[in-house]
Amino acid sequence: MRLRRFEAATVAEALSQVRADLGPEAVILHARSADPAAGRPGGRDRVMVTAAVDDDEPRAANREPRADRDGDRVRMSPACGYPDVATQGIPGCRGTAEGDGGVDWGSDEARDGDNRLEEIHRVLLELRAEAGISPTLPALLRPTYRRLMQAEVPPGVARQLLQALPAGTRVGRESQRVLALQRAAARAFRVGGPITPGQRQRVVALVGPTGVGKTTTVAKLAGQLRNAGGHRVALISLDTYRIGATAQMQIYAELLRVPLHVVRTPAEVQAAFRAERGRDLILVDTAGRSPGHPEGIAAIRSLLRPIPDLEVHLVVSATTKGSDAEEILRRFRPLSYGRLLLTKLDEARTAGPLLGLALRRGIPISYLTTGQEVPDDLEVATPRRLAALLVPETSKCRRTTAVSA
């Protein structure tokens, strides 16, 4: 095996060096930002990539085509965090023989703190972006594609958005393409809010994994609907599993001056609804359940079953990885959720994975939470707001981004 280290100004330049020296069969073992102060002109950022190739195998140029090569489709292993990224003639990425996971997280650079970790993450995102570029993608659209990849938008969604660009914007400035992408995404997003009680009583339940902020979000909804809308609101808590959950909800109910019912059985659920028959809105808080424990989800389903005309919102944190979000959506399907409610936008580097999944699945998004203040840090999801989060004006997700009409 031949092992070499390459240093360049950009990821694309580093990958070109890898291909030229080691060929398309090379694999990326390590990627990081080089120290800009190490005697380089102007102290500009550099990219350092370590790659290797197995000399025991014939070079790709001399190899006979094989049906199982799938058009030279190369897979980046999960060790690099970006599995199944297709490319043509771009080196793959996998861990070393010692199983170090592809990135030397124990290096001195990685210990320097959050800034260094962010640099490494940025380099890997750039590697992912380069690996996903199709040879048929016009050169003018490649910077836009890289921007979407760095925002962790799923590749399939990124390609669909680029295909939806009007012809005139494909040759304009990058800023014009970003605005055009935001408009295209805004047209594609579905939204499911706000919650507005009508002539009939409206019943809304929040379900989801542990730690996503369901109880706090229920309090935010109750506060906004009671204070701003003047609606008569009642709370029902099914969360008798988590330590302190009942006490937390009781505090919120007292502060908001709304009735609270803590129930444990389907019969108690029915009794609570009979007691609050005259309320405009009933908000139901449920215990967080792990997607890997279907029996817990089934227990919530049995408690919700007696509630007529129930509207279920699946609560997912914006910090959730794409693969985990897919699993959450699948595992909670027995609860018949019809909307997504995204929390912790203020804690997420980007909301691209989750928003891209919602866009691809066509699931309406109802609300977004942007902090812990009750009831203030809650906003109704709008197509423009979601589009600005999915296609940010910078590589980082901004809390507020205006989209031109």
Side-chain angles (χ1 to χ4, degrees):
M1 174 179 286
R2 282 193 295 151
L3 183 70
R4 283 206 58 188
R5 178 177 292 175
F6 302 85
E7 186 175 330
T10 66
V11 171
E13 184 180 330
L15 290 177
S16 296
Q17 293 179 17
V18 171
R19 286 195 299 270
D21 190 82
L22 300 180
E25 297 303 306
V27 293
I28 305 299
L29 303 179
H30 181 91
R32 66 178 175 85
S33 294
D35 184 0
R40 295 172 183 84
R44 290 179 296 180
D45 290 342
R46 307 279 289 178
V47 173
M48 190 172 291
V49 174
T50 302
V53 67
D54 190 351
D55 280 336
D56 294 334
E57 293 186 7
R59 294 286 292 272
N62 301 324
R63 183 179 298 177
E64 290 296 325
R66 296 205 318 254
D68 61 350
R69 285 182 58 77
D70 190 22
D72 285 335
R73 178 184 177 92
V74 180
R75 293 183 181 271
M76 297 172 108
S77 81
C80 283
Y82 304 108
D84 298 339
V85 178
T87 181
Q88 187 149 1
I90 298 291
C93 177
R94 63 169 179 254
T96 62
E98 291 77 20
D100 66 1
V103 176
D104 185 7
W105 296 105
S107 65
D108 292 339
E109 292 83 356
R111 294 193 192 98
D112 285 343
D114 292 341
N115 290 338
R116 183 63 66 179
L117 290 175
E118 180 68 20
E119 289 177 3
I120 293 173
H121 185 68
R122 176 179 60 79
V123 171
L124 290 176
L125 286 175
E126 291 181 6
L127 286 169
R128 178 196 184 212
E130 292 295 330
I133 293 178
S134 168
T136 60
L137 185 66
L140 284 173
L141 294 184
R142 295 187 179 191
T144 313
Y145 183 85
R146 293 187 187 100
R147 179 188 295 274
L148 294 173
M149 290 298 96
Q150 289 169 7
E152 300 187 44
V153 177
V157 174
R159 288 191 288 269
Q160 290 178 359
L161 289 173
L162 290 174
Q163 291 171 359
L165 281 177
T169 61
R170 298 191 176 202
V171 295
R173 297 179 180 178
E174 173 68 5
S175 59
Q176 294 174 329
R177 284 194 290 274
V178 169
L179 290 175
L181 282 173
Q182 290 177 338
R183 294 190 191 101
R187 289 192 295 268
F189 270 117
R190 297 179 61 195
V191 294
I195 295 172
T196 52
Q199 294 181 348
R200 298 179 58 184
Q201 184 182 74
R202 192 166 181 178
V203 183
V204 176
L206 302 190
V207 303
T210 58
V212 295
K214 291 185 298 299
T215 300
T216 305
T217 304
V218 165
K220 291 175 181 177
L221 285 168
Q224 288 194 6
L225 291 167
R226 180 187 178 280
N227 297 338
H231 300 296
R232 296 169 297 170
V233 181
L235 304 179
I236 293 179
S237 175
L238 310 182
D239 189 0
T240 58
Y241 179 80
R242 179 169 56 93
I243 297 175
T246 301
Q248 181 184 10
M249 185 59 81
Q250 286 174 339
I251 292 172
Y252 285 140
E254 291 175 4
L255 290 173
L256 297 171
R257 299 191 297 277
V258 297
L260 167 67
H261 300 265
V262 180
V263 299
R264 294 172 176 82
T265 66
E268 291 179 351
V269 172
Q270 291 176 324
F273 270 87
R274 286 195 297 269
E276 303 299 341
R277 189 172 300 166
R279 296 282 168 175
D280 299 320
L281 173 69
I282 297 181
L283 297 172
V284 182
D285 184 29
T286 64
R289 295 298 186 182
S290 168
H293 293 83
E295 62 277 4
I297 296 175
I300 293 176
R301 183 183 181 186
S302 67
L303 289 172
L304 296 178
R305 187 178 291 117
I307 303 176
D309 301 322
L310 179 63
E311 178 182 309
V312 180
H313 296 230
L314 177 61
V315 182
V316 186
S317 169
T319 62
T320 308
K321 295 185 297 184
S323 58
D324 292 340
E326 290 266 12
E327 184 73 0
I328 291 170
L329 264 61
R330 185 175 68 86
R331 293 286 189 173
F332 280 85
R333 198 174 296 158
L335 299 183
S336 302
Y337 61 85
R339 295 166 175 80
L340 290 181
L341 194 156
L342 274 54
T343 60
K344 303 188 178 182
L345 275 173
D346 55 311
E347 300 179 19
R349 193 194 69 84
T350 172
L354 193 52
L355 289 173
L357 178 60
L359 188 62
R360 179 158 54 87
R361 294 284 188 87
I363 305 174
I365 299 175
S366 56
Y367 285 86
L368 310 170
T369 75
T370 56
Q372 297 180 348
E373 292 295 324
V374 177
D376 296 331
D377 294 334
L378 175 75
E379 60 182 89
V380 177
T382 66
R384 289 186 176 185
R385 174 71 160 124
L386 297 175
L389 291 169
L390 182 72
V391 189
E393 294 181 2
T394 65
S395 60
K396 293 184 179 181
C397 177
R398 293 180 177 177
R399 290 186 62 183
T400 55
T401 303
V403 180
S404 299

